[in-house]
Each structure stands twice: as structure tokens, then as C-alpha cells.
Amino acid sequence: MALDSNEYPDKSISKFESMLKTDDVYFFDAEDFEEIIHHYLNNGKISLGKKAIQIGLEQHPNSLELKLLQVEVLAFEDKFDAAEKLLDEIQNIDAHNEEIYIQRANIQSKQDNHQEAVNLLLEALHLTDDTFDIHSLLGMEYLFMDDYERAKTSFMKCVEFDDSDYSSLYNVVYCFEFLEDFDGAIHYLNDYLERNPYSEVAWHQLGKMYYAMDMFPEALTAFDFAVISDDTFIGAYFEKGKVLEKLGRYNEAIENYESTISMEDPTSHAFLRLGKCHEKLGNNDLAKYYYYHTVHEDPLLDKGWLAITDFHYRQKNYEKALYYINKAINIDGENPLYWKKAAKIYFAMNNLDEADFAYKQAVDLGNYELETWKNWSEVLKQIGDFDSSIQVLLQGLEFYPDSAILSYKLAGMHLKNKDIAEAKKALSEAMEMDLEKLQLFDEEFPEFSEVKWVKALVSKIKKTAK
């Protein structure tokens, strides 16, 4: 009698592997072979899966299920022509087998023909009442096509079939998020929780939606229910801590972050949040302790290095701030945020040449923030390299053409460079953008605010603006 693969799957696998080690040939039901093959494929043991298919088809040459598993392996190995040929053979025997269309859809999907895959899956839907897996596959195809509305609908159907299908529930919420329909997500999750009031996953997702909308009291309530539903749910404690931080309740936030550490191996993210909370409370020694642990736990976490650097920077301990940002740069010299931070430290230390170099590195690595252009031009201004300062501002204005801040600074730099025509042009444009920010020009370049033509231009623009 063949082993019942559902009751004794391990025995079927052990028996099969025993057979491979000997010259004996054991008989298995086709269903046993399916169980064995699924086991190997699910565990990434493709060669053993192929061996089981080969022996299975020798014992059961007419088994369509084993042939379909052979198709699956051929598709996995990108042997699409062979897979399609075998599917043609199967279809001649059983034209109404939905698995044929599912496998054809898989082949199309792997070749990035996602619309064709969708069409095949829709055909498969008409051939079976067991549509759960097909809706799940449709959802993934729609995601590949960036059709988040249809993807959402497909995953919703999966959740309708099985309330405990959290993978589909996550995908539904992901679609809502991508569509920036947070209200829709909240409504959907509340409906779901009406049916499943103890679903810690749904409460957790609901809390994240409220958090995204800055509805912190509501988010806190949702995370509380997530914890009540499962008091070992680390993600809920962590998110609850983040909400409590937003509400300024740092001691309570610390308790929640400490809960995550006590339940599982500490994470760099938990250490980082603990450091931030203690710094807010003025517990500087504890803040340093947790920041150090953050970078020790995960040396590649840029937020950790930036936090410990910022901590010393705020304390005006620039030597230590520089030490830690240089350690970060030695680990990941391609991180533009590290170079930007190094530039600010060098500037605070009046090491202008190094600040200039660091800002250049930050920009070369893709940091194009307005603050970067403004600060870099200031460094060059203080060095006395007015031409380069102007070039940096012009580059910055390519990214931020409506920035009055950069335009006023550019006007001042042209004046310092004795280029009156360009100064008039830049100053006019800056005032037309934002007349109220004229005080920035007066504060940074007081030596020019009383110049006759500057006063006349300001007066003219102000009259026009009335």
C-alpha cells in the first residue's frame, strides 16, 4: 500500500531518498510523487525534484499532474519552447484543465508579457470554481503592469476567500498606499476588523495608515489593539514607540522599544530610536550608549552614523563628529549624506578647503538638495573664490529655478565679483519670485543694500508689486 503523502509526507520523502541510495525500485502513488516533488521544489532542490519527476513519469506515464510539474521545472529553467510543447500535448488530452493556462501564464510572465499572462489567467478563471490561486497570480501580474487598482481588486478577492491570507492583505494595503488612498485603506481595514477583531496584522496595518496621515492618537489606539491581540508582536511595539515619540511621550516610547529588545535579538533600528528618545530627554550618556550600539549592530546603517555624528555636532564637539563621519565614509564612501555631513563639520571647524571638497563629493554622488548648493556656495564665498561660488549657485538654480534664496545669493555674489549687469538681473528675478526674502540679501550683503542703483531697483519692484 502506498504511503498517504498527506499523513506521512516525511516517510514518503525518506523512502524516496532511500531508493536513490540503492538499486531498489519502490512504487509510489502519483499523489506521493506530487508531494515529494513539491517538497523538493519548495526547498530549492531542483535536481532532486527533476529526478522525482523522471521516476514518477516512468511509473505513471499518463499522469497529467506530474507532466504539469515537469512544465513548471522547464519554465523555471527558462526552457520555454519545451514547456509550451509539453503543454500542447497535455491540452490535447485535457483541454479544460485550468493548470495548463496557469502554466502558460507563468511562461508569458517570465518573458515580461504580462498582459498575455493576464489574458491566460482570465481564461483559467472560467474553467474552475477554485479561483483563489488564480486571483493571487492575477494580482501579481497587475502589480508588474503598475495597474494598482486591478491588483487591489484581485488581492481583495483572495482575502474574501481566506481572511487569514495575510500576504494578500499586505498587498491590498500596499496598493492603497501606492495610490495614496489612505482613507480607502483605513475604511477597508476597519471593515476587515469588524469581521476579524483580533487580527493583530490588520490592527498593525491600520496603525501605519493612521501614522501616515499624522493621526497619531488613532494610530496609538490601533497599535494598542495589535499588542492586545498578540503581546509578542514586535512590529506593533516598535510602531507604537514611534507614535509615542511623535506625541512627545519619550519615556513610554522607550518602554516599547525596550520591549522589542527583550523579546528578540536587538536591532540597530531599536537602538537608534532609543538613542533619539534619550537625547530628547537630555540623557546624553544613554543616548551615546545606544548610538554606539546602533553602529556596532549594523555598521552599514547610515542613520546610525548620522545620528552619532549629529549628537556630537550639536554638542559642538566637532573633532568627535568628524571622527565618526570619517569612520562612516571609510565604510561607505559612496554615501552622499556622509559627505554632506562632513562638509558641514569642516565648515564649522573653518576648514574651508576640506568643506569645499566634501560638498563636491556629495554633489558628484547625487546630493542635489537646495541646502547643499547654498552652503557650498557659501564655503567658496568665504574662500574668496567668487567665480566658483557663482557657478555652484547657477547649478543649483538648474535644479531649483524658483528658489529666491539662491537668486538673492547669486545677486550678492555677482556684486562681489563686480559684475553689475548680472547682479541687476539676478536681483530683479529674486524680488519677482519672493519680495519678502529681500531681507536675506540685506542681512548677507549689507555692504550693498545702500548702493544707489540697488535702492532704486528695490523701490521700482516694490511699486510694481503693489
Side-chain angles (χ1 to χ4, degrees), residues 240-258:
K240 185 180 171 185
K242 285 169 61 179
V243 175
L244 289 163
E245 275 192 76
K246 289 288 187 181
L247 295 171
R249 292 156 63 176
Y250 300 112
N251 282 313
E252 292 172 75
I254 287 168
E255 289 175 18
N256 280 272
Y257 294 135
E258 286 177 342

Side-chain angles (χ1 to χ4, degrees), residues 183-195:
D183 286 328
I186 288 168
H187 180 75
Y188 176 80
L189 288 165
N190 276 313
D191 279 351
Y192 178 90
L193 285 162
E194 286 288 327
R195 304 188 304 274

Side-chain angles (χ1 to χ4, degrees), residues 300-349:
L300 295 178
L301 181 67
D302 57 2
K303 290 180 180 177
W305 290 109
L306 293 171
I308 196 169
T309 301
D310 282 340
F311 174 81
H312 290 299
Y313 184 86
R314 282 191 286 270
Q315 303 286 320
K316 299 193 186 311
N317 191 341
Y318 300 128
E319 292 291 344
K320 275 203 169 180
L322 185 61
Y323 171 78
Y324 282 105
I325 204 62
N326 278 332
K327 282 198 74 169
I329 289 170
N330 288 334
I331 292 168
D332 180 9
E334 300 296 306
N335 190 319
L337 296 179
Y338 293 164
W339 285 104
K340 179 187 170 188
K341 191 66 65 176
K344 290 182 75 172
I345 296 165
Y346 281 125
F347 184 74
M349 298 171 76

Side-chain angles (χ1 to χ4, degrees), residues 333 336 339 356-367:
W339 285 104
D356 173 32
F357 176 77
Y359 274 124
K360 183 180 186 307
Q361 292 295 106
V363 168
D364 286 346
L365 290 167
N367 183 268

Side-chain angles (χ1 to χ4, degrees), residues 145-414:
M145 295 164 67
D146 296 333
D147 189 342
Y148 294 94
E149 280 293 349
R150 285 194 172 93
K152 182 180 68 177
T153 301
S154 294
F155 289 124
M156 281 178 172
K157 286 177 180 173
C158 295
V159 177
E160 285 174 25
F161 285 122
D162 180 5
D163 273 345
S164 64
D165 178 16
Y166 288 140
S167 175
S168 292
L169 182 64
Y170 281 124
N171 281 326
V172 170
V173 175
Y174 170 76
C175 291
F176 274 119
E177 281 185 288
F178 196 90
L179 294 164
E180 297 184 355
D181 183 7
F182 297 107
D183 286 328
I186 288 168
H187 180 75
Y188 176 80
L189 288 165
N190 276 313
D191 279 351
Y192 178 90
L193 285 162
E194 286 288 327
R195 304 188 304 274
N196 305 277
Y198 297 104
S199 170
E200 71 279 7
V201 170
W203 282 117
H204 180 246
Q205 291 298 303
L206 181 61
K208 290 177 74 173
M209 294 302 101
Y210 282 131
Y211 185 89
M213 296 184 71
D214 294 338
M215 298 170 69
F216 301 125
E218 292 84 353
L220 187 59
T221 300
F223 291 131
D224 275 334
F225 277 116
V227 169
I228 290 167
S229 302
D230 179 2
D231 62 4
T232 64
F233 191 178
I234 290 172
Y237 284 105
F238 190 85
E239 296 293 339
K240 185 180 171 185
K242 285 169 61 179
V243 175
L244 289 163
E245 275 192 76
K246 289 288 187 181
L247 295 171
R249 292 156 63 176
Y250 300 112
N251 282 313
E252 292 172 75
I254 287 168
E255 289 175 18
N256 280 272
Y257 294 135
E258 286 177 342
S259 293
T260 71
I261 290 173
S262 66
M263 286 182 223
E264 201 174 81
D265 289 340
T267 67
S268 55
H269 293 283
F271 284 139
L272 177 61
R273 299 304 341 147
L274 282 162
K276 297 270 189 186
C277 288
H278 280 296
E279 188 175 359
K280 290 284 187 182
L281 291 168
N283 304 330
N284 289 338
D285 289 340
L286 279 169
K288 276 193 290 184
Y289 170 84
Y290 284 114
Y291 288 147
Y292 292 147
H293 272 64
T294 301
V295 295
H296 176 76
E297 188 70 27
D298 183 0
L300 295 178
L301 181 67
D302 57 2
K303 290 180 180 177
W305 290 109
L306 293 171
I308 196 169
T309 301
D310 282 340
F311 174 81
H312 290 299
Y313 184 86
R314 282 191 286 270
Q315 303 286 320
K316 299 193 186 311
N317 191 341
Y318 300 128
E319 292 291 344
K320 275 203 169 180
L322 185 61
Y323 171 78
Y324 282 105
I325 204 62
N326 278 332
K327 282 198 74 169
I329 289 170
N330 288 334
I331 292 168
D332 180 9
E334 300 296 306
N335 190 319
L337 296 179
Y338 293 164
W339 285 104
K340 179 187 170 188
K341 191 66 65 176
K344 290 182 75 172
I345 296 165
Y346 281 125
F347 184 74
M349 298 171 76
N350 205 34
N351 190 338
L352 300 177
D353 288 334
E354 291 291 347
D356 173 32
F357 176 77
Y359 274 124
K360 183 180 186 307
Q361 292 295 106
V363 168
D364 286 346
L365 290 167
N367 183 268
Y368 305 133
E369 295 172 342
L370 189 147
E371 181 190 34
T372 299
W373 300 110
K374 180 171 75 75
N375 290 347
W376 188 11
S377 73
E378 179 62 27
V379 168
L380 291 162
K381 169 188 158 191
Q382 295 205 18
I383 288 173
D385 187 350
F386 300 149
D387 285 332
S388 294
S389 180
I390 287 167
Q391 288 307 310
V392 165
L393 288 166
L394 289 171
Q395 278 183 274
L397 281 163
E398 287 180 20
F399 289 90
Y400 303 95
D402 298 324
S403 171
I405 292 171
L406 296 183
S407 293
Y408 278 118
K409 196 169 185 67
L410 179 62
M413 292 311 304
H414 278 308

Side-chain angles (χ1 to χ4, degrees), residues 122-133:
L122 291 173
E123 286 189 58
L125 275 180
H126 298 307
L127 297 172
T128 180
D129 294 327
D130 185 13
T131 59
F132 174 86
D133 288 336

